Amino acid sequence: KYCSQMSEQLAIVVRIANRTLGFYRPPNTKEAVDVATLTDAALRVHRRKLLAKNANLLKDIPGGAVVTGHAGELLQVLCNLLSNSIDALSANGRLTIRARKSPAEVHLLVVDDGHGIPETIRQRIFEPFFTTKQDHGTGLGLAISKSIIERHKGRIRIRSSIRSGASGTAFRVSLPVHSRPPAPAIDVQSGPE
């Protein structure tokens, strides 16, 4: 009886959340987003979590990796991926953030050597409200991240292993390359020429 009531209530919450998310409309204008700058911002957000885990961070973001999009939304995606990876790390674990540029896309990888994700869970991680974090987490982070990436005409993929001694998870986000380089920053003191 209680399980049935919980299922009904959960279905109502899902409908409300989907309707609420449906009201959000991002601005129509997209801009050049430098992946190195985006990565630095996301790492600043998670600095304390990284320090608490004493994580070994490897960052390899080449210059010129620029995508077209909404910087705030892409920061939300990267922050979510980093948060999940840091949560999966054990003390002194390794976190790698790497970008590679092809002629049409920038591929951003977030890789951890944490416990990995079993196949049965991997099939569901992009579902709204699915979570393995019983004490915290809403189960919305990856679902929203996937939606943002798809709105940016990109893709998100996952590979994971739970094998002892070779466990870990890698998320790969592929986004279209920005066709023009970002505008140079204006020197606030001297102003534009």
Side-chain angles (χ1 to χ4, degrees), residues 4-14:
S4 176
Q5 288 175 348
M6 286 174 40
S7 291
E8 288 175 27
Q9 293 301 313
L10 183 58
I12 291 168
V13 169
V14 168

Side-chain angles (χ1 to χ4, degrees), residues 63-142:
V66 180
V67 298
T68 301
H70 304 285
E73 289 185 346
L74 295 176
L75 179 62
Q76 180 181 351
V77 170
L78 186 52
C79 281
N80 180 260
L81 295 177
L82 286 174
S83 179
N84 289 341
S85 288
I86 295 167
D87 287 346
L89 289 176
S90 58
N92 303 310
R94 187 174 61 242
L95 176 65
T96 303
I97 305 168
R98 179 180 306 143
R100 295 293 178 257
K101 184 179 172 186
S102 71
E105 292 180 313
V106 171
H107 307 284
L108 180 65
L109 283 89
V110 177
V111 183
D112 66 70
D113 66 352
H115 49 72
I117 303 171
E119 178 65 30
T120 54
I121 294 173
R122 225 176 307 149
Q123 295 171 1
R124 299 191 59 204
I125 61 170
F126 294 110
E127 292 177 14
F129 301 107
F130 178 78
T131 183
T132 59
K133 301 174 184 178
Q134 303 306 324
D135 56 341
H136 65 285
T138 61
L140 288 173
L142 287 174

Side-chain angles (χ1 to χ4, degrees):
K1 174 183 173 184
Y2 292 121
C3 285
S4 176
Q5 288 175 348
M6 286 174 40
S7 291
E8 288 175 27
Q9 293 301 313
L10 183 58
I12 291 168
V13 169
V14 168
R15 279 198 305 273
I16 291 169
N18 284 335
R19 287 182 188 156
T20 302
L21 291 172
F23 285 118
Y24 174 70
R25 297 285 184 253
N28 290 330
T29 57
K30 292 183 180 176
E31 59 193 5
V33 179
D34 180 68
V35 175
T37 303
L38 189 73
T39 302
D40 289 342
L43 287 171
R44 279 192 302 275
V45 169
H46 293 291
R47 183 176 179 273
R48 287 187 181 191
K49 283 178 77 172
L50 284 164
L51 290 173
K53 290 273 181 127
N54 197 29
N56 297 303
L57 176 65
L58 171 63
K59 184 177 81 166
D60 180 13
I61 311 289
V66 180
V67 298
T68 301
H70 304 285
E73 289 185 346
L74 295 176
L75 179 62
Q76 180 181 351
V77 170
L78 186 52
C79 281
N80 180 260
L81 295 177
L82 286 174
S83 179
N84 289 341
S85 288
I86 295 167
D87 287 346
L89 289 176
S90 58
N92 303 310
R94 187 174 61 242
L95 176 65
T96 303
I97 305 168
R98 179 180 306 143
R100 295 293 178 257
K101 184 179 172 186
S102 71
E105 292 180 313
V106 171
H107 307 284
L108 180 65
L109 283 89
V110 177
V111 183
D112 66 70
D113 66 352
H115 49 72
I117 303 171
E119 178 65 30
T120 54
I121 294 173
R122 225 176 307 149
Q123 295 171 1
R124 299 191 59 204
I125 61 170
F126 294 110
E127 292 177 14
F129 301 107
F130 178 78
T131 183
T132 59
K133 301 174 184 178
Q134 303 306 324
D135 56 341
H136 65 285
T138 61
L140 288 173
L142 287 174
I144 291 171
S145 293
K146 184 175 189 270
S147 174
I148 290 170
I149 294 301
E150 288 173 349
R151 272 200 317 267
H152 282 76
K153 309 269 189 273
R155 299 177 314 280
I156 184 168
R157 296 181 180 149
I158 179 176
R159 293 184 73 178
S160 191
S161 171
I162 57 172
R163 287 184 304 146
S164 179
S167 64
T169 301
F171 280 94
R172 178 178 167 169
V173 174
S174 301
L175 293 164
V177 165
H178 187 70
S179 56
R180 297 178 313 274
I186 297 173
D187 184 352
V188 177
Q189 293 177 346
S190 63
E193 294 181 13

